[in-house]
Amino acid sequence: MKATQNGSRGRPDFLLLILTLLLVGFGLVMVFSASSSIAVVTKEDALYFTKRQFMWAGLGIIVMLFMMNLRYQVFKRLFMLFFIPVVIMLMLVPFVGQEINGAHSWFGVGSLGIQPTEPAKLAIILYLGALITKKGDKFRSFKKGLLPVILIVGFICGLIMMQPDLGSCIVLAASASVMILAGGANLKQVFVSGMLVVVLLAVIFSISMAISPDAWAYRIDRLTVFRDPLSDSQDSGWHLVSSLQAFGHGGLTGAGFGESVQKLHYLKYPYNDFIFAIIGEEFGFIGSTIFLLFYLFFLWRGLIVALRCPDQYGTVVGVGIVGLIAIQAFVNIGGVTATIPLTGVTLPFISYGGSSLLFCLMSIGVLLSISRESNRVENTKR
């Protein structure tokens, strides 16, 4: 085979592209199944949520293809054009954003809305990727390497907690930690820094509890109820009990597509945070296992693309994107199965939510751009 010319680009990883489109397609099907009964009552249109999700999916795929055809190295130079507007939105949303479920997390324009925490996840990945690779060997120095990264991530997490949005804060901080490790940080420094952050958070938490004990008592109850949802099944444990009942009703083989009972106004957001419970109820343990294996295969393929990248920036950014999706999926699935506290994050590509779907597809576009460079280098060597 003839070598690829220097100015040309390789083909994208079509397997990753196909897996992404299949996930999006399955997500649209499940949004329809989980939302139709609620949409009929609240919107007088069984397809209301499905049509909106389909619109965001179409827009997201266009953005994904656009990002795929950009050279990912451009983000290393121009990441500030994305990062600064996101920071401004995060600073404004607690004061002028719409309040939904007790959190000011949305900018709303008519019936449409955008959640700034979603672009913030990709923005911090592109920012840290550029920062880590620019520092090179200096990144192993605490003062010149790790400390600036911790301060930037802490600043963004602080803005997110002003809304407040604990789930997104956890996902972003964990994704940044994965990038720090992938970037070659000193493990001893990472461990000590982690301990100091835990101590600082404990102090802040203690002070906050002393100032407003009633508010924090309620939040703690909401976070710890996963250990025994039945202890407060009519209040803080209601959604978890309903979620576990969905899995129980699904059994081994499932109740059948569209036959979920818990989506009939028992679960408040069956098409969003609890969509995996509906998957478990309608497709059972076998169907849920197949879905999880497919999701793991998708993540594995994304990781392969990242690790094959010929330069550090592409690898660190790619690992950050895969880590972000994997961590958010774990937090969502762990929450609805009462494995970990319920924090209210979406299941990437599956849950209803335009902002989440749009920026997840944008992230995959960056990953596909990385795969094109990897394939170009491999073709050149032949």
Side-chain angles (χ1 to χ4, degrees), residues 64-103:
M64 177 182 70
L65 296 176
F66 174 77
M67 301 293 280
M68 180 183 77
N69 286 288
L70 286 178
R71 292 184 181 273
Y72 69 89
Q73 292 91 344
V74 73
F75 303 116
K76 188 175 182 179
R77 302 190 303 271
L78 304 177
F79 63 90
M80 278 295 184
L81 296 179
F82 184 40
F83 184 77
I84 291 177
V86 167
V87 171
I88 293 172
M89 286 193 295
L90 288 174
M91 294 175 70
L92 291 176
V93 74
F95 305 102
V96 301
Q98 291 183 347
E99 182 179 354
I100 300 177
N101 297 326

Side-chain angles (χ1 to χ4, degrees), residues 6 121 144 254 277 305 333:
N6 291 335
K121 295 170 186 175
K144 296 182 179 180
V305 166
I333 295 171

Side-chain angles (χ1 to χ4, degrees), residues 46-206:
L47 295 174
Y48 177 82
F49 295 106
T50 307
K51 288 187 290 188
R52 290 167 66 90
Q53 189 75 345
F54 188 85
M55 178 195 72
W56 284 108
L59 178 60
I61 289 171
I62 292 172
V63 172
M64 177 182 70
L65 296 176
F66 174 77
M67 301 293 280
M68 180 183 77
N69 286 288
L70 286 178
R71 292 184 181 273
Y72 69 89
Q73 292 91 344
V74 73
F75 303 116
K76 188 175 182 179
R77 302 190 303 271
L78 304 177
F79 63 90
M80 278 295 184
L81 296 179
F82 184 40
F83 184 77
I84 291 177
V86 167
V87 171
I88 293 172
M89 286 193 295
L90 288 174
M91 294 175 70
L92 291 176
V93 74
F95 305 102
V96 301
Q98 291 183 347
E99 182 179 354
I100 300 177
N101 297 326
H104 293 268
S105 303
W106 295 83
F107 287 118
V109 181
S111 62
L112 298 178
I114 185 169
Q115 193 173 11
T117 51
E118 297 301 332
K121 295 170 186 175
L122 178 58
I124 198 69
I125 288 173
L126 298 177
Y127 189 114
L128 293 185
L131 186 63
I132 290 171
T133 52
K134 181 180 179 180
K135 289 185 176 296
D137 292 337
K138 292 181 180 179
F139 185 58
R140 295 185 62 83
S141 166
F142 178 76
K143 185 176 180 180
K144 296 182 179 180
L146 187 59
L147 182 59
V149 172
I150 293 175
L151 292 176
I152 291 167
V153 174
F155 173 66
I156 298 300
C157 287
L159 292 177
I160 292 174
M161 284 306 297
M162 287 175 63
Q163 301 175 18
D165 186 350
L166 178 61
S168 294
C169 182
I170 292 172
V171 170
L172 190 145
S175 303
S177 300
V178 170
M179 293 186 69
I180 289 171
L181 294 175
N186 185 298
L187 294 180
K188 182 178 179 180
Q189 293 176 3
V190 172
F191 178 77
V192 173
S193 300
M195 292 296 100
L196 291 175
V197 169
V198 170
V199 172
L200 178 61
L201 290 176
V203 172
I204 295 173
F205 173 73
S206 300

Side-chain angles (χ1 to χ4, degrees), residues 264-281:
L264 303 176
H265 308 281
Y266 291 100
L267 283 169
K268 189 175 182 180
Y269 298 109
Y271 49 87
N272 195 292
D273 299 350
F274 289 93
I275 200 165
F276 183 68
I278 305 304
I279 294 173
E281 185 174 10

